[in-house]
């Protein structure tokens, strides 16, 4: 895997790619890989979803998708993992962005399908929860979607407005809540009486 020194350059990225097994299809089983930690690499995922290596944006979408497929979270830290090595990187807010929403209706009722900035499609529901974090500075909300392996996508502001449009009121533990339904699950955003403050 790439060394953490300043001279690694794009070759360092290629070193990560070279250490991944070639025969796997789909997502690599990083949850089963426990290689030794080899230090931090100069890589960062910015709050807007841009991946940087040595302070330069990674301009190859296929390379970003590959790195995203081997991203692993342990506690509050993030790593790129291969069968033989593990390196740390910085994630400023969330590793992914949810950038597109498609609403379907089938036997499960309403299903919210999100596309991330690395072209994964995720249906909100069991195993892929939506959560809404209250912002103390302005009283608003930040929505997030669970993608996989404790990795979350921040839902863009435009999509959040779409979710508000799809929202409904339900009583949860005796309290009227405003939220959204997907695949049979109700995800509360806030008390129904407060919804107009952030919508």
């Amino acid at each position: 895997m790439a060394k953490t020194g300043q001279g690694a350059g794009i070759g360092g990225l290629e070193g990560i790619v070279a250490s991944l097994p070639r025969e796997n299809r789909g997502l690599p089983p990083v949850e089963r890989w426990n290689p030794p930690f080899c230090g931090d690499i100069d890589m960062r995922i910015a709050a807007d979803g841009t991946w940087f290596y040595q302070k330069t944006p990674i301009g190859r979408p296929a390379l970003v998708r590959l790195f995203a497929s081997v991203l692993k979270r342990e506690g509050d830290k993030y790593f790129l993992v291969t069968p033989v090595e593990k390196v740390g990187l910085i994630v400023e807010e969330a590793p992914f962005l949810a950038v597109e929403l498609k609403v379907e209706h089938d036997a499960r009722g309403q299903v919210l399908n999100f596309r991330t900035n690395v072209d994964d499609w995720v249906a909100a529901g069991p195993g892929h929860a939506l959560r809404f974090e209250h912002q103390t500075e302005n009283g608003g909300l930040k929505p997030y979607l669970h993608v996989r392996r404790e990795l979350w996508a921040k839902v863009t502001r435009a999509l959040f407005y779409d979710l508000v449009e799809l929202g409904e009121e339900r009583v949860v533990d005796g309290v009227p809540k405003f939220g959204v339904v997907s695949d049979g699950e109700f995800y509360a955003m806030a008390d129904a009486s407060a919804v107009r403050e952030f919508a």
Side-chain angles (χ1 to χ4, degrees):
M1 190 171 280
K3 301 298 183 183
T4 57
Q6 293 298 311
I10 290 297
L13 299 184
E14 301 299 347
I16 296 174
V17 174
S19 63
L20 291 171
R22 300 286 181 183
E23 67 277 4
N24 286 334
R25 293 179 180 269
L27 289 171
V30 300
E31 66 279 359
R32 300 202 302 264
W33 297 344
N34 291 291
F37 178 59
C38 300
D40 293 327
I41 193 171
D42 187 6
M43 184 177 285
R44 172 175 61 92
I45 305 175
D48 67 356
T50 303
W51 288 60
F52 290 84
Y53 183 64
Q54 294 188 344
K55 300 178 178 57
T56 301
I58 301 173
R60 294 161 57 184
L63 202 53
V64 170
R65 287 193 295 270
L66 178 62
F67 293 146
S69 75
V70 293
L71 189 63
K72 186 176 184 180
R73 180 177 176 178
E74 297 177 1
D76 292 330
K77 296 185 177 180
Y78 294 85
F79 304 91
L80 297 181
V81 182
T82 76
V84 294
E85 294 177 285
K86 175 172 74 172
V87 294
L89 72 161
I90 294 172
V91 176
E92 290 186 351
E93 186 171 355
F96 306 123
L97 285 181
V99 297
E100 183 179 349
L101 171 63
K102 288 186 178 179
V103 182
E104 296 180 340
H105 293 86
D106 58 22
R108 298 170 293 172
Q110 177 173 273
V111 180
L112 306 178
N113 297 284
F114 294 86
R115 182 177 63 85
T116 72
N117 59 319
V118 292
D119 287 333
D120 289 322
W121 280 97
V122 181
H128 299 285
L130 284 165
R131 79 173 197 264
F132 298 86
E133 291 189 358
H134 290 260
Q135 298 176 272
T136 55
E137 65 272 15
N138 59 16
L141 292 176
K142 278 189 179 181
Y144 295 88
L145 170 71
H146 180 238
V147 177
R148 60 177 177 269
R149 302 188 299 245
E150 297 306 313
L151 302 175
W152 292 76
K154 182 174 70 173
V155 178
T156 63
R157 196 70 182 169
L159 294 191
F160 173 55
Y161 290 132
D162 291 340
L163 294 179
V164 171
E165 289 293 322
L166 294 166
E168 60 186 70
E169 289 189 22
R170 290 191 180 185
V171 176
V172 179
D173 297 328
V175 179
K177 296 283 187 178
F178 183 85
V180 66
V181 173
S182 183
D183 197 3
E185 299 285 332
F186 178 73
Y187 300 103
M189 298 182 192
D191 290 349
S193 60
V195 68
R196 285 187 174 82
E197 295 180 13
F198 58 81

